[in-house]
Amino acid sequence: MKNIQAAITAVHGAVPDNILSNADLEKMVDTNDEWIISRTGIKERRIIEKGRTLSDLGADIVAGICEKRGISPEEIDMIVVGTITADHRFPSASNLICHKSGAKNAWGFDVSAACSGFLYTLVTGQQFILSGQCKKVIVIGADIMSSIVNYEDRNTCVIFGDGGGGVLLEPNDEGFGIVDSILKADGSGKEYLLQKLGGSAFPITKENVGSPEAYAFQEGRTVFKFAVTNMADVSAEIMEKNNLTGEDVDWLVPHQANLRIIDATANRMGLTKDKVMINISKYGNTTSGTIPLCLWEWEDKLKKGDNVVIAAFGGGFTWGSIYLKWAY
Ligand code: UT7
């Protein structure tokens, strides 16, 4: 019997049309274009239109994937969604996306792993392909960060944006697809990047409603130190484990949190800049959305057999790396 791998067979992305530029932010908080670009690499980010939700973006992603692959949404077995900004605490974004996209025969759930959401979700979807339980799994990474960002806090509002993307996973017996993954978690890092209020530990009450703690908080400098080390380390680890050199890797798809973190990871892997997918200047940090958005934008440059390494670090802390062989 041939070995089965879970391979990506289609990609689609979705970003809102509304642009929030650095110049716009200069009018909202004490910041400036030069600071934002030099510290992060971000020039602008997208903000969802009023009335549109995460599940609307998700339904657009599913429609795009189905159109590209020439399949009906009814053929999808499962939709797994990496997000921390689902429409509601419950039901899940997956549940609503299945409904809105017409994926009547699919089921699924959300995975909460902040900026590593797409990695965790991709490996989750992979398991359902490998077990044989599913033939077509859509894996989505998307976030509406504007719903949890405090636009009076310059530490966070310049960084985050809205958007996401998704991939279709199907079984492959020709040696293409996900080869290996390393996923990590360390909950002791929770205090440095979190949305404190609104969970069961600190529910929203009459007294705390409107408090800054209801929004995303980040101690940037500390997270930066952990991110820059761990994202580079885990990427080097997956290369070593699979006997890959910088020459062998065709593409690095890094989480887009900060250009300096991306550069450090690429340097550690021995990659030249032309092998690194970077679109942070246009979309900022869309949390779970950054990696599928890169795959979507680079889809026509990817070639069958390309060695692709995906890497992320995010709140939790969560981080990891995935090595795959592009399948089309
Ligand atoms: O995606 C999930 C994981 N997240 C990350 O990986 C993000 C990691 N962290 C970072 O990317 C960076 O820490 C930031 C981009 C968030 C911040 O950059 P930084 O170089 O670490 O700046 P900092 O927080 O150390 O602040 C430096 C200075 C401070 O002023 P003083 O104390 O030196 O006078 C800040 O108050 O910059 C000030 N500052 C700003 N100035 C203008 C902070 N935010 C801003 C701002 N505009 N928006």
Side-chain angles (χ1 to χ4, degrees):
M1 211 177 90
K2 284 188 174 174
N3 273 345
I4 293 288
Q5 281 169 266
I8 294 175
T9 55
V11 184
H12 196 68
V15 285
D17 293 333
N18 288 339
I19 292 175
L20 181 68
S21 68
N22 290 352
D24 295 329
L25 283 162
E26 284 178 4
K27 293 179 204 135
M28 296 159 68
V29 289
D30 180 15
T31 191
N32 58 79
D33 183 52
E34 197 276 324
W35 189 96
I36 303 172
I37 292 180
S38 64
R39 301 285 176 133
T40 69
I42 302 169
K43 291 185 180 156
E44 57 189 42
R45 63 291 291 144
R46 302 297 177 99
I47 304 294
I48 198 93
E49 299 81 9
K50 247 196 157 49
R52 295 250 303 156
T53 66
L54 194 279
S55 64
D56 293 323
L57 278 191
D60 289 350
I61 291 165
V62 173
I65 286 174
C66 289
E67 193 184 321
K68 270 189 197 161
R69 191 75 181 113
I71 57 170
S72 143
E74 295 183 10
E75 291 175 60
I76 299 160
D77 302 309
M78 182 178 209
I79 298 178
V80 203
V81 185
T83 190
I84 52 165
T85 52
D87 299 21
H88 308 286
R89 291 287 301 276
F90 72 91
S92 71
S94 165
N95 196 270
L96 302 182
I97 294 168
C98 288
H99 168 65
K100 288 186 179 180
S101 65
K104 288 187 186 143
N105 299 309
W107 67 288
F109 48 87
D110 297 353
V111 174
S112 170
C115 298
S116 308
F118 185 73
L119 274 77
Y120 274 44
T121 318
L122 193 62
V123 171
T124 303
Q126 175 200 19
Q127 307 313 311
F128 285 87
I129 296 287
L130 296 183
S131 71
Q133 188 170 346
C134 296
K135 293 276 178 269
K136 288 183 170 44
V137 177
I138 287 186
V139 173
I140 291 175
D143 271 297
I144 306 291
M145 293 306 291
S146 62
S147 66
I148 59 167
V149 161
N150 178 357
Y151 285 93
E152 292 178 359
D153 176 10
R154 69 175 184 173
N155 291 303
T156 49
C157 73
V158 302
I159 297 167
F160 293 107
D162 301 341
V167 299
L168 178 65
L169 282 182
E170 294 185 86
N172 183 293
D173 62 6
E174 295 172 335
F176 302 107
I178 298 169
V179 179
D180 198 11
S181 59
I182 303 171
L183 296 179
K184 308 210 182 203
D186 178 2
S188 70
K190 79 154 192 187
E191 68 198 272
Y192 305 114
L193 179 47
L194 85 165
Q195 183 186 6
K196 189 167 178 184
L197 295 188
S200 55
F202 298 99
I204 302 275
T205 62
K206 271 210 308 264
E207 288 72 33
N208 67 26
V209 72
S211 147
E213 292 186 327
Y215 298 102
F217 163 84
Q218 174 170 248
E219 198 178 296
R221 213 174 296 188
T222 309
V223 178
F224 184 91
K225 280 187 203 147
F226 279 97
V228 85
T229 313
N230 286 310
M231 206 163 115
D233 280 355
V234 77
S235 306
E237 190 181 338
I238 206 156
M239 286 174 72
E240 216 168 287
K241 220 177 132 198
N242 291 280
N243 298 315
L244 296 170
T245 65
E247 295 274 291
D248 302 320
V249 176
D250 296 294
W251 296 103
L252 167 65
V253 197
H255 170 52
Q256 315 278 306
N258 187 310
L259 199 50
R260 290 177 287 151
I261 299 172
I262 296 173
D263 287 345
T265 304
N267 282 341
R268 180 75 181 282
M269 294 170 73
L271 299 184
T272 47
K273 257 238 147 99
D274 54 317
K275 291 183 169 186
V276 188
M277 298 187 191
I278 301 173
N279 60 12
I280 190 170
S281 67
K282 290 196 293 186
Y283 305 129
N285 183 345
T286 55
T287 303
S288 287
T290 60
I291 288 165
L293 273 177
C294 281
L295 291 174
W296 174 51
E297 289 210 330
W298 267 262
E299 189 184 12
D300 59 356
K301 294 194 182 66
L302 284 155
K303 292 191 301 293
K304 192 169 181 170
D306 275 357
N307 285 321
V308 178
V309 174
I310 299 176
F313 182 90
F317 295 131
T318 56
W319 69 104
S321 185
I322 296 175
Y323 163 41
L324 59 88
K325 279 192 175 291
W326 197 249
Y328 66 97

mmCIF file of all heavy atoms in Angstrom, residues 30-31 35 39-40 115 154-155 158-159 193 218 220-221 223-224 227 255 257-258 260-261 285 313-314, ligand 1:
data_model
loop_
_atom_site.group_PDB
_atom_site.id
_atom_site.type_symbol
_atom_site.label_atom_id
_atom_site.label_comp_id
_atom_site.label_asym_id
_atom_site.label_seq_id
_atom_site.Cartn_x
_atom_site.Cartn_y
_atom_site.Cartn_z
ATOM 1 N N ASP A 30 -0.550 58.660 19.288
ATOM 2 C CA ASP A 30 0.750 59.312 19.177
ATOM 3 C C ASP A 30 1.745 58.337 18.539
ATOM 4 O O ASP A 30 2.434 57.587 19.231
ATOM 5 C CB ASP A 30 1.208 59.735 20.583
ATOM 6 C CG ASP A 30 2.558 60.426 20.538
ATOM 7 O OD1 ASP A 30 2.985 60.828 19.440
ATOM 8 O OD2 ASP A 30 3.180 60.555 21.622
ATOM 9 N N THR A 31 1.775 58.320 17.219
ATOM 10 C CA THR A 31 2.696 57.434 16.495
ATOM 11 C C THR A 31 3.083 58.114 15.195
ATOM 12 O O THR A 31 2.597 59.207 14.887
ATOM 13 C CB THR A 31 2.044 56.058 16.244
ATOM 14 O OG1 THR A 31 3.035 55.155 15.770
ATOM 15 C CG2 THR A 31 0.909 56.117 15.225
ATOM 16 N N TRP A 35 8.246 55.383 12.587
ATOM 17 C CA TRP A 35 8.387 54.438 13.709
ATOM 18 C C TRP A 35 7.784 53.088 13.323
ATOM 19 O O TRP A 35 8.402 52.029 13.512
ATOM 20 C CB TRP A 35 7.694 54.969 14.984
ATOM 21 C CG TRP A 35 7.994 54.150 16.213
ATOM 22 C CD1 TRP A 35 8.950 54.398 17.157
ATOM 23 C CD2 TRP A 35 7.361 52.917 16.618
ATOM 24 N NE1 TRP A 35 8.951 53.418 18.127
ATOM 25 C CE2 TRP A 35 7.988 52.496 17.823
ATOM 26 C CE3 TRP A 35 6.338 52.128 16.106
ATOM 27 C CZ2 TRP A 35 7.612 51.337 18.510
ATOM 28 C CZ3 TRP A 35 5.965 50.965 16.781
ATOM 29 C CH2 TRP A 35 6.595 50.584 17.966
ATOM 30 N N ARG A 39 10.126 49.783 12.927
ATOM 31 C CA ARG A 39 10.021 48.765 13.989
ATOM 32 C C ARG A 39 9.283 47.501 13.569
ATOM 33 O O ARG A 39 9.450 46.449 14.178
ATOM 34 C CB ARG A 39 9.280 49.327 15.210
ATOM 35 C CG ARG A 39 9.902 50.523 15.844
ATOM 36 C CD ARG A 39 11.133 50.135 16.651
ATOM 37 N NE ARG A 39 11.764 51.324 17.169
ATOM 38 C CZ ARG A 39 12.173 51.461 18.418
ATOM 39 N NH1 ARG A 39 12.039 50.495 19.278
ATOM 40 N NH2 ARG A 39 12.757 52.574 18.792
ATOM 41 N N THR A 40 8.400 47.636 12.541
ATOM 42 C CA THR A 40 7.559 46.474 12.208
ATOM 43 C C THR A 40 7.568 46.103 10.726
ATOM 44 O O THR A 40 7.306 44.950 10.387
ATOM 45 C CB THR A 40 6.072 46.733 12.581
ATOM 46 O OG1 THR A 40 5.543 47.729 11.697
ATOM 47 C CG2 THR A 40 5.915 47.189 14.013
ATOM 48 N N CYS A 115 -1.440 33.359 17.033
ATOM 49 C CA CYS A 115 -0.746 33.500 15.740
ATOM 50 C C CYS A 115 -0.262 32.169 15.179
ATOM 51 O O CYS A 115 0.114 32.084 14.009
ATOM 52 C CB CYS A 115 0.414 34.468 15.877
ATOM 53 S SG CYS A 115 -0.172 36.102 16.329
ATOM 54 N N ARG A 154 -1.375 52.581 21.337
ATOM 55 C CA ARG A 154 -0.441 52.577 20.199
ATOM 56 C C ARG A 154 0.450 51.340 20.175
ATOM 57 O O ARG A 154 1.080 51.045 19.166
ATOM 58 C CB ARG A 154 0.412 53.849 20.211
ATOM 59 C CG ARG A 154 1.395 53.921 21.357
ATOM 60 C CD ARG A 154 2.269 55.146 21.227
ATOM 61 N NE ARG A 154 3.274 55.184 22.278
ATOM 62 C CZ ARG A 154 4.241 56.074 22.331
ATOM 63 N NH1 ARG A 154 4.333 57.004 21.400
ATOM 64 N NH2 ARG A 154 5.126 56.053 23.302
ATOM 65 N N ASN A 155 0.525 50.648 21.328
ATOM 66 C CA ASN A 155 1.349 49.431 21.351
ATOM 67 C C ASN A 155 0.766 48.314 20.498
ATOM 68 O O ASN A 155 1.488 47.418 20.062
ATOM 69 C CB ASN A 155 1.488 48.913 22.786
ATOM 70 C CG ASN A 155 2.337 49.834 23.621
ATOM 71 O OD1 ASN A 155 3.489 50.098 23.273
ATOM 72 N ND2 ASN A 155 1.765 50.349 24.687
ATOM 73 N N VAL A 158 -1.222 49.674 15.946
ATOM 74 C CA VAL A 158 -0.469 49.843 14.707
ATOM 75 C C VAL A 158 -0.095 48.495 14.079
ATOM 76 O O VAL A 158 0.281 48.421 12.911
ATOM 77 C CB VAL A 158 0.823 50.670 14.944
ATOM 78 C CG1 VAL A 158 0.488 52.028 15.531
ATOM 79 C CG2 VAL A 158 1.816 49.935 15.829
ATOM 80 N N ILE A 159 -0.198 47.445 14.857
ATOM 81 C CA ILE A 159 0.324 46.148 14.426
ATOM 82 C C ILE A 159 -0.704 45.297 13.692
ATOM 83 O O ILE A 159 -0.410 44.688 12.658
ATOM 84 C CB ILE A 159 0.812 45.354 15.673
ATOM 85 C CG1 ILE A 159 1.972 46.081 16.345
ATOM 86 C CG2 ILE A 159 1.216 43.943 15.297
ATOM 87 C CD1 ILE A 159 2.279 45.539 17.723
ATOM 88 N N LEU A 193 0.838 38.384 26.246
ATOM 89 C CA LEU A 193 0.012 38.616 25.052
ATOM 90 C C LEU A 193 -1.329 37.927 25.274
ATOM 91 O O LEU A 193 -1.429 36.702 25.192
ATOM 92 C CB LEU A 193 0.742 38.039 23.818
ATOM 93 C CG LEU A 193 0.077 38.140 22.454
ATOM 94 C CD1 LEU A 193 -0.473 39.514 22.162
ATOM 95 C CD2 LEU A 193 1.053 37.737 21.346
ATOM 96 N N GLN A 218 -0.418 43.457 24.615
ATOM 97 C CA GLN A 218 0.871 42.822 24.305
ATOM 98 C C GLN A 218 2.023 43.589 24.942
ATOM 99 O O GLN A 218 2.105 44.812 24.777
ATOM 100 C CB GLN A 218 1.098 42.750 22.791
ATOM 101 C CG GLN A 218 2.503 42.227 22.435
ATOM 102 C CD GLN A 218 2.695 41.905 20.967
ATOM 103 O OE1 GLN A 218 2.840 40.759 20.592
ATOM 104 N NE2 GLN A 218 2.717 42.934 20.140
ATOM 105 N N GLY A 220 5.188 44.085 24.053
ATOM 106 C CA GLY A 220 5.887 43.843 22.787
ATOM 107 C C GLY A 220 7.322 43.381 22.917
ATOM 108 O O GLY A 220 7.734 42.421 22.271
ATOM 109 N N ARG A 221 8.079 44.078 23.775
ATOM 110 C CA ARG A 221 9.515 43.788 23.853
ATOM 111 C C ARG A 221 9.763 42.342 24.312
ATOM 112 O O ARG A 221 10.637 41.658 23.805
ATOM 113 C CB ARG A 221 10.179 44.779 24.808
ATOM 114 C CG ARG A 221 11.583 45.112 24.404
ATOM 115 C CD ARG A 221 12.177 46.194 25.267
ATOM 116 N NE ARG A 221 11.474 47.481 25.150
ATOM 117 C CZ ARG A 221 11.917 48.608 25.698
ATOM 118 N NH1 ARG A 221 13.029 48.619 26.388
ATOM 119 N NH2 ARG A 221 11.245 49.734 25.551
ATOM 120 N N VAL A 223 7.603 39.755 24.149
ATOM 121 C CA VAL A 223 7.147 38.804 23.130
ATOM 122 C C VAL A 223 8.165 38.742 21.997
ATOM 123 O O VAL A 223 8.484 37.663 21.484
ATOM 124 C CB VAL A 223 5.746 39.192 22.580
ATOM 125 C CG1 VAL A 223 5.313 38.221 21.491
ATOM 126 C CG2 VAL A 223 4.715 39.216 23.706
ATOM 127 N N PHE A 224 8.714 39.890 21.656
ATOM 128 C CA PHE A 224 9.718 39.940 20.586
ATOM 129 C C PHE A 224 10.893 39.014 20.898
ATOM 130 O O PHE A 224 11.315 38.231 20.052
ATOM 131 C CB PHE A 224 10.217 41.382 20.412
ATOM 132 C CG PHE A 224 11.174 41.554 19.268
ATOM 133 C CD1 PHE A 224 10.705 41.880 18.004
ATOM 134 C CD2 PHE A 224 12.544 41.369 19.434
ATOM 135 C CE1 PHE A 224 11.587 42.027 16.935
ATOM 136 C CE2 PHE A 224 13.424 41.505 18.371
ATOM 137 C CZ PHE A 224 12.944 41.843 17.125
ATOM 138 N N ALA A 227 9.815 35.463 20.536
ATOM 139 C CA ALA A 227 9.461 35.150 19.150
ATOM 140 C C ALA A 227 10.710 34.989 18.289
ATOM 141 O O ALA A 227 10.842 34.027 17.521
ATOM 142 C CB ALA A 227 8.559 36.250 18.578
ATOM 143 N N HIS A 255 5.082 33.563 9.823
ATOM 144 C CA HIS A 255 4.047 34.425 10.400
ATOM 145 C C HIS A 255 4.515 35.873 10.284
ATOM 146 O O HIS A 255 5.687 36.172 10.509
ATOM 147 C CB HIS A 255 3.822 34.040 11.865
ATOM 148 C CG HIS A 255 2.961 35.010 12.599
ATOM 149 N ND1 HIS A 255 1.725 35.402 12.126
ATOM 150 C CD2 HIS A 255 3.148 35.694 13.769
ATOM 151 C CE1 HIS A 255 1.192 36.267 12.965
ATOM 152 N NE2 HIS A 255 2.035 36.460 13.957
ATOM 153 N N ALA A 257 4.561 38.964 11.903
ATOM 154 C CA ALA A 257 4.363 39.764 13.112
ATOM 155 C C ALA A 257 5.273 40.976 13.098
ATOM 156 O O ALA A 257 4.918 42.038 13.568
ATOM 157 C CB ALA A 257 4.637 38.945 14.358
ATOM 158 N N ASN A 258 6.450 40.775 12.528
ATOM 159 C CA ASN A 258 7.456 41.819 12.571
ATOM 160 C C ASN A 258 8.559 41.438 11.587
ATOM 161 O O ASN A 258 9.081 40.317 11.630
ATOM 162 C CB ASN A 258 8.026 41.908 14.002
ATOM 163 C CG ASN A 258 8.939 43.081 14.163
ATOM 164 O OD1 ASN A 258 9.842 43.305 13.372
ATOM 165 N ND2 ASN A 258 8.707 43.853 15.210
ATOM 166 N N ARG A 260 11.548 42.200 11.462
ATOM 167 C CA ARG A 260 12.840 41.857 12.087
ATOM 168 C C ARG A 260 12.864 40.397 12.540
ATOM 169 O O ARG A 260 13.901 39.739 12.496
ATOM 170 C CB ARG A 260 13.122 42.796 13.271
ATOM 171 C CG ARG A 260 13.421 44.226 12.836
ATOM 172 C CD ARG A 260 13.630 45.133 14.028
ATOM 173 N NE ARG A 260 12.398 45.428 14.734
ATOM 174 C CZ ARG A 260 12.309 45.702 16.038
ATOM 175 N NH1 ARG A 260 13.399 45.696 16.783
ATOM 176 N NH2 ARG A 260 11.165 45.981 16.599
ATOM 177 N N ILE A 261 11.686 39.881 12.970
ATOM 178 C CA ILE A 261 11.607 38.472 13.383
ATOM 179 C C ILE A 261 11.731 37.573 12.147
ATOM 180 O O ILE A 261 12.405 36.536 12.155
ATOM 181 C CB ILE A 261 10.276 38.193 14.128
ATOM 182 C CG1 ILE A 261 10.188 39.052 15.392
ATOM 183 C CG2 ILE A 261 10.133 36.708 14.466
ATOM 184 C CD1 ILE A 261 8.837 38.997 16.110
ATOM 185 N N ASN A 285 -0.314 42.371 10.954
ATOM 186 C CA ASN A 285 -0.391 41.064 11.605
ATOM 187 C C ASN A 285 -1.859 40.653 11.704
ATOM 188 O O ASN A 285 -2.607 41.219 12.500
ATOM 189 C CB ASN A 285 0.247 41.180 13.002
ATOM 190 C CG ASN A 285 0.280 39.858 13.746
ATOM 191 O OD1 ASN A 285 -0.392 38.901 13.374
ATOM 192 N ND2 ASN A 285 1.050 39.821 14.823
ATOM 193 N N PHE A 313 5.088 32.090 15.534
ATOM 194 C CA PHE A 313 5.168 32.227 16.992
ATOM 195 C C PHE A 313 4.040 33.151 17.418
ATOM 196 O O PHE A 313 3.773 34.143 16.745
ATOM 197 C CB PHE A 313 6.508 32.841 17.429
ATOM 198 C CG PHE A 313 6.631 32.934 18.924
ATOM 199 C CD1 PHE A 313 7.177 31.897 19.659
ATOM 200 C CD2 PHE A 313 6.146 34.055 19.613
ATOM 201 C CE1 PHE A 313 7.266 31.963 21.051
ATOM 202 C CE2 PHE A 313 6.227 34.123 20.993
ATOM 203 C CZ PHE A 313 6.780 33.083 21.720
ATOM 204 N N GLY A 314 3.349 32.817 18.509
ATOM 205 C CA GLY A 314 2.250 33.682 18.915
ATOM 206 C C GLY A 314 1.860 33.546 20.363
ATOM 207 O O GLY A 314 2.501 32.833 21.151
HETATM 208 O O1 UT7 B 1 2.120 37.920 16.426
HETATM 209 C C1 UT7 B 1 2.252 37.353 17.676
HETATM 210 C C2 UT7 B 1 3.558 37.572 18.311
HETATM 211 N N1 UT7 B 1 3.886 38.952 18.366
HETATM 212 C C3 UT7 B 1 5.072 39.370 18.019
HETATM 213 O O2 UT7 B 1 5.877 38.573 17.602
HETATM 214 C C4 UT7 B 1 5.375 40.827 18.225
HETATM 215 C C5 UT7 B 1 6.669 41.002 18.943
HETATM 216 N N2 UT7 B 1 6.992 42.371 19.282
HETATM 217 C C6 UT7 B 1 7.253 43.317 18.362
HETATM 218 O O3 UT7 B 1 7.115 43.120 17.186
HETATM 219 C C7 UT7 B 1 7.790 44.636 18.867
HETATM 220 O O4 UT7 B 1 8.093 44.522 20.225
HETATM 221 C C8 UT7 B 1 6.811 45.840 18.683
HETATM 222 C C9 UT7 B 1 6.716 46.188 17.202
HETATM 223 C C10 UT7 B 1 5.446 45.494 19.245
HETATM 224 C C11 UT7 B 1 7.383 47.061 19.408
HETATM 225 O O5 UT7 B 1 8.681 47.341 18.936
HETATM 226 P P1 UT7 B 1 9.880 47.529 19.958
HETATM 227 O O6 UT7 B 1 11.059 47.867 19.157
HETATM 228 O O7 UT7 B 1 9.958 46.305 20.821
HETATM 229 O O8 UT7 B 1 9.419 48.796 20.766
HETATM 230 P P2 UT7 B 1 9.181 48.938 22.350
HETATM 231 O O9 UT7 B 1 7.900 48.332 22.753
HETATM 232 O O10 UT7 B 1 10.430 48.522 23.055
HETATM 233 O O11 UT7 B 1 9.066 50.511 22.458
HETATM 234 C C12 UT7 B 1 10.145 51.384 22.112
HETATM 235 C C13 UT7 B 1 9.670 52.815 22.255
HETATM 236 C C14 UT7 B 1 8.994 53.091 23.602
HETATM 237 O O12 UT7 B 1 9.323 54.390 23.993
HETATM 238 P P3 UT7 B 1 10.511 54.660 25.054
HETATM 239 O O13 UT7 B 1 10.139 53.932 26.281
HETATM 240 O O14 UT7 B 1 11.747 54.114 24.415
HETATM 241 O O15 UT7 B 1 10.505 56.149 25.176
HETATM 242 C C15 UT7 B 1 7.528 53.029 23.289
HETATM 243 O O16 UT7 B 1 6.736 53.792 24.176
HETATM 244 O O17 UT7 B 1 8.683 53.111 21.258
HETATM 245 C C16 UT7 B 1 7.475 53.610 21.900
HETATM 246 N N3 UT7 B 1 6.336 53.164 21.123
HETATM 247 C C17 UT7 B 1 5.878 53.825 20.054
HETATM 248 N N4 UT7 B 1 6.278 54.972 19.461
HETATM 249 C C18 UT7 B 1 5.596 55.365 18.372
HETATM 250 C C19 UT7 B 1 5.578 52.048 21.306
HETATM 251 N N5 UT7 B 1 4.623 51.989 20.370
HETATM 252 C C20 UT7 B 1 4.778 53.072 19.575
HETATM 253 C C21 UT7 B 1 4.119 53.544 18.436
HETATM 254 N N6 UT7 B 1 4.547 54.690 17.858
HETATM 255 N N7 UT7 B 1 3.074 52.895 17.893
#
